[in-house]
Structure formats: structure tokens, C-alpha cells
């Protein structure tokens, strides 16, 4: 029998929402670049990303060292490549080297949006049950 690590429901909910959000960004990027020559469609292994977030192995945001020519310039944080990001194998490659299939991306995007909604409801339920325990009143 394999032991499963125990996680606090709030920590798990937060990690799941962040992982779903990260996947949504990747899928949105694919759809935005559907007509970009040589763009390679990407996706993430949700389980691998969630596991990395829960174990604290994810890489944090970092800033690129950029030369500012004006004191008012803002250095924006740039996300490093994260665990679980993979390139999608195209079903029908295009002549311009783009591997985005719009139908596949829309399908994955909609599915991930539904899973994100479920994660939000799970997270909200965890908060409600804790508030009920604290106040002694049913949620």
C-alpha cells in the first residue's frame, strides 16, 4: 500500500487553482499564436505541475536584468519555464511549422475552464466549512 501525503485542503485548493490558471495561460497563448509561423503548441501535465507546487519545487518568478534608460521604467517579472510544460504533438502539421490545432486548443481550454470552476467551488467549500467550524453556525 502506497502512502499518500496529507495536505491541508486550503493549500491543496490554492495549488490546484494556480496550476489550472497556469494551464489556462498556456492554452490561451496557443490560441493567440494559431497563425504565427513556427509556433509550437504547448500544454502542461497538470498532475506534474500540481505535485511540483505542493512539494515547493516550482520555480518562482524572476526579473530579467534589463538596462533602464529612464528612472520611471519598470522591470517586469518574467516566469521561468515551469515543470510539466510539454510541446504538443500535432495531428496535422501545417506548412508554416505551426503546430496549433484551433479545435484541440478550444476543447482543452473549455475543459480546463470547467475544471477550474470545480476547483474554485472546492476551495470555497473548504473555506465555508472552516468558517462554520469557527463560528459554530452552519454554512
Amino acid at each position: 500500500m502506497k502512502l499518500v501525503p496529507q495536505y491541508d485542503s486550503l493549500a491543496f485548493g490554492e495549488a490546484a487553482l494556480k496550476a489550472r490558471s497556469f494551464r489556462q495561460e498556456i492554452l490561451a497563448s496557443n490560441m493567440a499564436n494559431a497563425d504565427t509561423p513556427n509556433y509550437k503548441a504547448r500544454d502542461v501535465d497538470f498532475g506534474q505541475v500540481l505535485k511540483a507546487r505542493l512539494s515547493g519545487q516550482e520555480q518562482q518568478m524572476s526579473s530579467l536584468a534589463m538596462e533602464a534608460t529612464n528612472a520611471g521604467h519598470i522591470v517586469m517579472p518574467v516566469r521561468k519555464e515551469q515543470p510539466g510544460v510539454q510541446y504538443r504533438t500535432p495531428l496535422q502539421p501545417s506548412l508554416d511549422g505551426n503546430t496549433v490545432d484551433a479545435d484541440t486548443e478550444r476543447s482543452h481550454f473549455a475543459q480546463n475552464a470547467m475544471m477550474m470552476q470545480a476547483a474554485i467551488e472546492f476551495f470555497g467549500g473548504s473555506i465555508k466549512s472552516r468558517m462554520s467550524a469557527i463560528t459554530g453556525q452552519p454554512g
Side-chain angles (χ1 to χ4, degrees):
M1 184 168 111
K2 186 177 178 181
L3 294 177
V4 178
Q6 297 295 316
Y7 297 106
D8 175 39
S9 63
L10 290 180
F12 182 84
E14 177 187 11
L17 280 172
K18 285 182 177 180
R20 286 279 171 212
S21 175
F22 176 61
R23 183 166 189 237
Q24 205 74 342
E25 288 177 27
I26 296 289
L27 295 173
S29 176
N30 289 346
M31 290 191 298
N33 287 288
D35 295 324
T36 304
N38 294 314
Y39 182 82
K40 306 301 180 209
R42 300 178 305 155
D43 201 349
V44 297
D45 179 348
F46 176 77
Q48 189 178 357
V49 172
L50 180 60
K51 184 178 178 181
R53 285 190 177 277
L54 288 170
S55 65
Q57 294 175 354
E58 81 171 328
Q59 297 177 3
Q60 300 297 321
M61 302 277 276
S62 67
S63 296
L64 290 176
M66 298 176 70
E67 184 176 333
T69 57
N70 185 308
H73 288 170
I74 300 172
V75 178
M76 297 297 294
V78 177
R79 180 176 280 141
K80 293 180 183 178
E81 203 59 41
Q82 298 207 3
V85 176
Q86 303 165 346
Y87 289 99
R88 193 183 311 276
T89 304
L91 298 173
Q92 186 174 2
S94 65
L95 294 175
D96 67 358
N98 186 305
T99 62
V100 175
D101 177 8
D103 293 332
T104 300
E105 299 307 323
R106 279 192 297 269
S107 172
H108 287 290
F109 191 87
Q111 179 189 27
N112 194 61
M114 287 187 337
M115 298 299 281
M116 183 180 264
Q117 183 62 38
I120 289 169
E121 290 185 25
F122 171 79
F123 193 60
S126 294
I127 292 172
K128 284 182 184 177
S129 66
R130 288 176 186 237
M131 289 301 295
S132 177
I134 291 169
T135 63
Q137 298 175 2

